[in-house]
């Protein structure tokens, strides 16, 4: 198998951002000098200063520390949720694209149903019902994003299975399993990969939104929770921009970075997208 | 010796009718892609199936090697009824019956290099235990298809090869299992004219060397004429004329064959020959006309052609034709 | 055409039925005692609760409950809110109207601007104009709606109203005054929702149009002697608009997701805010009702797109 | 009088590996009312030539040097605006991919008549009437005017393309592989149509194809192109003299001739990014001389109106 990946400038920028964030997530203590959990009621809503680079929140926690530690939650959600949805989606997509008949039809309808149901409301309902923990959120997001992967993998599989090298494999006496794993999968994998990267942006976006809407894990530090607390504690009225801007910017940068890498990969795998 | 024989082979595809119709009517509509075809191919013969696109020639060929499930009929390969044996039993015949595809760009997996493409069937059929064992066999087969030096092609991916080279790889991977019956589905129609003859030349050489039997499918009668021993002309799922190539081309009996031969473009100008250009739409296997299938486009159609379907009859030795006019001519 | 319609309607009924069933199952999956959570408001008397229980068939087995649930839904009895002590259906319909007031113009604005930007970007593909549109749009696309709303509030707190649909305690002399007040309150939420959506539409338009521009019939049009602008307007854009119709519908969930956030941030009394409130107060009957309404709305929009599509694409007209 | 006169045309493409010399010094002319067939293998530059005449080259391609005189005016010097008045009006083109060459959301009538609306002062009604006429002339019933292309078969689409190319009564029609993807019978129908229209409208035709026999059946003259160069230019009745042309001719089966399968032309097409100094065909030629490696042969007239670029012919001729 052979992948030729050529990232454009935008993709390289995106990749750099993510690598830096991965570093933050792995070694947050190397960067910050405040414990993000440490509260100090005598120092609430302080503006940026030498002591607190980005000021403090309504219970006196250091916002810069919260921001750096928050990277961990976001990346974790991104990677694990996408891992779940990509695996489930690829399997469903491959099977429903390769086989014809009732199973394929049922899988396809099921995918369509999941595509049709609005995601955010369903996520909110599910998290509200199963309980607010980071793992529940990850699983819910993972299980709601698979339909998108399945749709893409299915349509790609459908077009590949019409190629004569697939029928040729049958003429050689290959089993269905061999054809799916060794002949179709390698051809859809680049697309799945590019799409997975794009999905990471979406997964992070959903986690942040769910947390902001009050269904986040209160025991975990995350950008969405920070914004939730900011909104609930009327930071707006205090015009505590240092509390509100940084997590938002962090989210935008992260989602953007994943999008840039994903688009760059898509372009490098899909010659039709390349500049004319 | 007969290599492969088919009798009354039919391949009907169910047509997807609308959802509602399928609720209230149980009657299925079928597309009669192949509608009762019988012939024999002798050992080491080149048998050619010719006809317009949509006439069912590819479907027929694929049904013969069980890539498509026929609706009815029999296929006998070296005396064995291929359609009645089970899947596992058929596996041992699988490697004997191979196919070469038309499009060299989609018949090779873009993610596999030449070596793996050829080694994979060997491994699946237990000719070799692991990929490295196949090196000698693969070198030899690549040399046979004139891809030399063979080693330099091992690591190449399809996109690094030209159309002709891809088709050679494709042929090599079919031949590596030592088949003796090959379906060649328009193997050169997508190649450039100069490469085309090169590949054909090689295929004929391989045929002699490996004692192969070819079923050659083409829409190009001049190619068929050039290489085949016998030819069958297909129209809408049926054979309308069949016989030794020389005779069919020089003395066509069915009006359809006459028309097809008359429109073959000749590379020499000067001698202007009369062309019979058929009017009307290309055939549609979903709406097969009553009577003779060809009558709506036939320039010699008589009343009887609209009513009864002609059966295929012997015109003279080895030359068969399905046309009412022929039997009428003979009666008086 | 009739057959197409009937087929669509059958599919839609199946879809709605599935959603309703999912809804039923979901709310019985709640850890703890789901039935208690859903139907027994701790704030009312034991006698009333018993009556409620038989109303909802809670004394019956699960499938019995399911049929009662279905028939209640059809009858319009969607349960009673714990918080407002009113029938859920009434609350949701009232809020739905408010949501539409905000969403319809916001989506229209986003579609118009998005398509325009997309067309320009595709036409000028590879130039600086394209790059700047693309950068702008990608940022819009990455913005969480709620955060953008908060930022806009901080910036415009003294210029525009930041909360609610009308000024608190205002009495209107005429209907025009009321409309004016609502419009004034609408500005920030509308801008937020539009910005969040514009990215998606621009990207889709740019993508499909760039692909259309490589089609053979574009070259044909050039060979007939037409200028770039004519070809863009008469040949490329009409073809690129086709997938837009379906894509806007498919991505309708996105619009809804944005609406929940925007309404929450700006306290806009719509379905989205209702959903947020019901989560915060654990008002399950309302949560269930809003989810149902939103899901059905998405399905209906997709249905409309399916119905409209053949009018624009001659290729599917006959089916 | 010649209608197109191409002088030392060079058309290059920018690629990652360097300049690709798609057309490298081509010189030929096409007389009024004449039909010329241009043959060559894929990648030899024949389509590029067609596109350069209309200046419709893709963004990576550009005319490096040379002139294309159309009725005495140099098209190379013309602005895009001036070219638009010529395209479809004086010079029309029919492409190979008839399947996708029609806009799926516009009716056949709209697509045929739009050229008229652009190039003439006709009203919509007049243009539609003319479109109807044109559709009849290609053998399609006029009530198909209000239909959409997806209802048409490949052969019918190609007829529509021809109708819309000819609706403005152009002087020159360029047909780029007009029958390649079509079935044999449809191919014959389209060629017959082209032959008829050519005579009826006194059209000049530049037919581009890889199929020598198509040229033999429709054209007065033949141009053999190889590696961006013209190797031979002859009347269709003349027998071809260049070794490449001969091989090419042999690779087409002729059912009037002997039943012999040629070995084909061994070797690969030339590298157009770093072409060799000598004759482009030399590496594949079985009759090459020493001089062929060093020096490029020039196109010379071996007999009346028959030009060949081959050292062997020069020496034998002299």
């Amino acid at each position: 198998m052979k992948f030729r990946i050529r990232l454009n400038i935008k993709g390289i920028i995106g990749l750099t951002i993510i690598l830096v964030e991965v570093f933050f997530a792995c070694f947050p203590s190397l960067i910050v000098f405040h414990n993000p959990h440490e509260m100090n009621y005598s120092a609430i809503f302080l503006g940026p200063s030498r002591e607190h680079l980005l000021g403090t929140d309504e219970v006196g926690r250091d916002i810069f520390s919260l921001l750096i530690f928050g990277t961990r939650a976001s990346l974790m959600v991104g990677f694990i949720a996408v891992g779940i949805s990509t695996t489930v989606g690829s399997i469903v997509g491959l099977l429903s694209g390769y086989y014809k008949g009732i199973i394929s039809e049922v899988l396809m309808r099921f995918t369509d149903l999941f595509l049709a149901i609005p995601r955010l409301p369903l996520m909110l309902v599910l998290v509200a019902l199963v309980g607010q923990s980071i793992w529940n959120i990850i699983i819910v997001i993972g299980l709601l994003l698979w339909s998108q992967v399945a749709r893409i993998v299915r349509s790609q599989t459908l077009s590949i299975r019409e190629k004569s090298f697939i029928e040729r494999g049958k003429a050689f006496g290959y089993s269905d399993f061999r054809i799916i794993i060794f002949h179709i999968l390698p051809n859809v994998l680049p697309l799945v990969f590019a799409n997975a990267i794009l999905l990471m942006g979406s997964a992070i976006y959903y986690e942040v939104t769910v947390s902001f809407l009050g269904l986040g894990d209160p025991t975990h530090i995350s950008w969405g929770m920070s914004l939730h607390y900011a909104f609930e504690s009327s930071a707006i009225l205090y015009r505590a921009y240092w509390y509100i801007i940084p997590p938002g910017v962090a989210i935008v940068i992260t989602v953007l970075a994943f999008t840039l890498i994903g688009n760059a990969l898509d372009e490098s795998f899909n010659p039709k997208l390349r500049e004319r | 010796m007969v290599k492969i024989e088919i009798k009354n082979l039919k391949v009907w595809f169910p047509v997807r009718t609308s959802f509602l119709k399928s609720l209230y009517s149980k009657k299925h509509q079928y597309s009669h892609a192949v509608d009762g075809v019988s012939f024999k191919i002798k050992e080491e013969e080149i048998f050619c199936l010719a006809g317009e696109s949509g006439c069912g020639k590819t479907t027929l060929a694929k049904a013969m090697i069980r890539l498509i499930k026929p609706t009815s009929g029999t296929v006998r390969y070296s005396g064995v009824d291929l359609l009645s044996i089970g899947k596992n039993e058929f596996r041992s015949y699988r490697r004997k019956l191979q196919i070469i595809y038309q499009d060299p760009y989609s018949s090779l997996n873009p993610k596999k290099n030449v070596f793996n493409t050829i080694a994979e069937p060997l491994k699946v059929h237990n000719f070799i235990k692991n990929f490295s064992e196949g090196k000698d066999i693969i070198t030899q087969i690549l040399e046979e298809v004139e891809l030399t030096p063979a080693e330099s092609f091992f690591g190449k991916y399809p996109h690094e090869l030209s159309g002709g080279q891809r088709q050679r790889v494709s042929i090599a991977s079919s031949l590596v299992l030592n088949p003796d019956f090959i379906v060649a589905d328009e193997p050169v129609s997508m190649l450039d004219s100069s490469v085309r003859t090169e590949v054909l030349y090689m295929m004929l050489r391989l045929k002699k060397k490996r004692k192969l039997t070819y079923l050659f499918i083409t829409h190009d009668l001049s190619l068929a004429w050039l290489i085949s021993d016998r030819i069958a002309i297909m129209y809408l799922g049926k054979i309308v004329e069949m016989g030794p190539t020389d005779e069919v081309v020089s003395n066509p009996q069915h009006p359809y064959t006459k028309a097809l031969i008359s429109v073959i473009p000749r590379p020499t100008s000067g001698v202007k020959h009369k062309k019979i250009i058929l009017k009307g739409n290309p055939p549609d296997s979903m709406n097969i006309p009553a009577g003779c299938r060809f009558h709506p486009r036939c320039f010699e159609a008589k009343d009887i052609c609209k009513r009864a379907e002609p059966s295929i009859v012997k015109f003279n030795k080895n030359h068969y034709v399905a046309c009412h006019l022929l039997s009428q001519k003979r009666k008086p | 055409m009739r057959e197409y319609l009937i087929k669509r309607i059958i599919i839609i009924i199946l879809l709605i039925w599935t959603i309703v069933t999912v809804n039923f199952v979901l709310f019985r999956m709640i850890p703890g005692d789901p039935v208690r959570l859903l139907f027994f408001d701790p704030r009312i008397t034991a006698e009333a609760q018993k009556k409620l229980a038989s109303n909802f068939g809670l004394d019956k087995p699960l499938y019995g409950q399911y049929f009662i649930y279905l028939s209640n839904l059809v009858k319009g009895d969607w349960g009673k809110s714990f918080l407002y002590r009113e029938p859920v259906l009434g609350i949701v319909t009232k809020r739905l109207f408010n949501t539409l007031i905000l969403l319809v113009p916001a989506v229209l604005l986003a579609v118009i601007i998005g398509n325009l930007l997309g067309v320009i970007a595709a036409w000028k593909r590879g130039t600086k104009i394209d790059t700047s549109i693309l950068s702008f749009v990608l940022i819009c696309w990455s913005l969480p709606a709620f955060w953008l709303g908060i930022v806009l509030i901080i910036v415009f707190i003294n210029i525009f109203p930041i909360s609610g649909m009308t000024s608190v305690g205002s009495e209107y002399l005429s209907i025009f005054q009321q409309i004016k007040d609502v419009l004034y309150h609408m500005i920030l939420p509308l801008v937020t929702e539009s910005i969040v959506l514009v990215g998606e539409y621009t990207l889709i338009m740019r993508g499909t149009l760039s692909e259309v521009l490589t089609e053979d019939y574009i070259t044909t049009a050039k060979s007939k002697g037409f200028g770039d602008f004519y070809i863009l307007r008469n040949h490329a854009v009409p073809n690129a608009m086709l997938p837009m119709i379906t894509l806007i519908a498919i991505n309708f969930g996105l619009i809804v997701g944005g609406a929940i956030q925007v309404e929450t941030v700006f306290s806009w009394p719509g379905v989205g805010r209702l959903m947020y409130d019901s989560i915060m107060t654990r008002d399950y009957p309302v949560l269930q009702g809003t989810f149902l309404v939103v899901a059905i709305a998405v399905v209906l929009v997709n249905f409309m797109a399916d119905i409209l599509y053949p009018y624009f694409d001659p290729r599917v007209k006959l089916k | 009088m010649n209608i197109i006169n191409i002088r030392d045309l060079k058309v290059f493409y920018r690629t990652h590996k360097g300049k690709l010399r798609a057309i490298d010094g081509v010189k030929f002319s096409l007389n009024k009312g004449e039909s010329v067939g241009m043959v060559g293998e894929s990648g030899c530059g024949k389509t590029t030539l067609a596109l350069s005449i209309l200046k419709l080259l893709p963004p990576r391609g550009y005319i490096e040097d040379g002139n294309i005189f159309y009725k005495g005016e140099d098209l190379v010097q013309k602005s895009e605006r001036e070219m638009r008045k010529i395209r479809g009006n004086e010079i029309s083109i029919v492409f190979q991919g008839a399947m996708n060459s029609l806009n799926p959301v516009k009716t056949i009538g709209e697509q045929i008549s739009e050229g008229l609306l652009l190039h003439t002062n006709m009203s919509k009604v007049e243009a539609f009437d003319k479109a109807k006429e044109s559709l009849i002339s290609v053998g399609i019933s006029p009530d198909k005017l209000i239909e959409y292309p997806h209802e048409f078969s490949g052969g019918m689409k190609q007829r529509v393309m021809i109708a819309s190319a000819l609706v403005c009564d152009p002087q020159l029609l360029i047909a780029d592989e007009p029958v390649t993807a079509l079935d044999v019978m449809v191919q014959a129908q389209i060629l017959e149509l082209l032959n008829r229209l050519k005579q009826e409208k006194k059209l000049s035709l530049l037919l581009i194809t890889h199929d020598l026999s198509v040229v033999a059946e429709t054209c007065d003259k033949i141009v053999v192109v190889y590696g961006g160069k013209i190797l031979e230019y002859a009347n269709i009745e003349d027998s071809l003299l260049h070794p490449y042309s001969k091989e090419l001719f042999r690779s087409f089966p002729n059912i009037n001739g002997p039943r012999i399968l040629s070995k084909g032309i061994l070797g690969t097409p030339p590298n157009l990014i770093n072409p060799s100094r000598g004759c482009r065909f030399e590496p594949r030629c079985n009759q090459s001389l020493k001089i062929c490696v060093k020096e490029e042969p020039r196109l010379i007239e071996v007999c009346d109106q028959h030009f060949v670029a081959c050292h062997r012919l020069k020496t034998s001729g002299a």
Side-chain angles (χ1 to χ4, degrees), chain C residues 55-56 69 71-80 87 89:
Chain C
N55 267 357
F56 285 93
Y69 167 75
S71 79
N72 279 347
L73 271 188
V74 176
K75 278 187 270 174
D77 182 1
W78 290 26
K80 230 174 199 172
L89 189 60

Side-chain angles (χ1 to χ4, degrees), chain B residues 58-172:
Chain B
T58 300
T59 311
L60 170 59
K62 286 182 181 169
M64 283 172 71
I65 56 170
R66 254 178 86 159
L67 279 176
I68 292 176
K69 201 171 166 276
T71 314
S72 68
T74 54
V75 177
R76 284 186 167 276
Y77 163 79
S78 301
V80 182
D81 186 352
L82 284 185
L83 301 182
S84 66
I85 59 177
K87 226 180 184 174
N88 288 328
E89 209 180 327
F90 180 69
R91 268 186 75 86
S92 53
Y93 293 99
R94 179 85 283 169
R95 65 174 190 86
K96 289 282 180 194
L97 312 160
Q98 285 299 318
I99 177 166
I100 299 167
Y101 289 92
Q102 168 179 23
D103 182 2
Y105 290 88
S106 76
S107 63
L108 295 177
N109 186 342
K111 295 281 177 226
K112 280 195 183 287
N113 63 23
V114 171
F115 187 90
N116 288 341
T117 300
I118 304 177
E120 195 178 6
L122 286 174
K123 193 164 163 267
V124 169
H125 284 271
N126 297 320
F127 280 50
I128 54 170
K129 283 204 186 64
N130 50 49
F131 278 41
S132 52
E133 238 179 82
K135 215 179 149 197
D136 292 339
I137 308 177
I138 292 166
T139 310
Q140 196 198 330
I141 197 87
L142 282 177
E143 277 164 5
E144 259 186 80
V145 296
E146 293 158 5
L147 290 175
T148 49
E151 270 89 358
S152 70
F153 284 92
F154 281 1
K156 289 234 164 106
Y157 284 85
H159 65 90
E160 298 168 301
L161 304 172
S162 69
Q165 288 172 331
R166 279 165 165 246
Q167 201 58 304
R168 284 165 195 270
V169 172
S170 181
I171 292 171

Side-chain angles (χ1 to χ4, degrees), chain B residues 53 192 194 225 228 275 278, chain D residues 41-42 183 189 217 259 265:
Chain B
S53 57
D192 244 323
S194 63
W225 166 78
S228 66
K275 287 189 175 187
L278 297 176
Chain D
E41 293 168 271
S42 50
D183 233 320
Q189 290 168 356
E217 304 226 331
R259 219 174 128 182
I265 310 169

Side-chain angles (χ1 to χ4, degrees), chain D residues 111-150:
Chain D
Q111 297 192 53
I112 299 179
S113 60
E114 68 173 355
L116 284 168
L117 295 174
L118 175 75
H119 295 296
T120 66
N121 294 324
M122 282 186 193
S123 70
K124 272 200 171 165
V125 181
E126 288 170 318
F128 226 72
D129 282 344
K130 183 94 195 278
K132 200 182 268 181
E133 237 174 72
S134 166
L135 202 61
I136 295 170
S137 78
V138 296
I140 296 180
S141 143
D143 40 286
K144 299 268 183 201
L145 268 181
I146 48 163
E147 285 184 12
Y148 289 91
H150 69 100

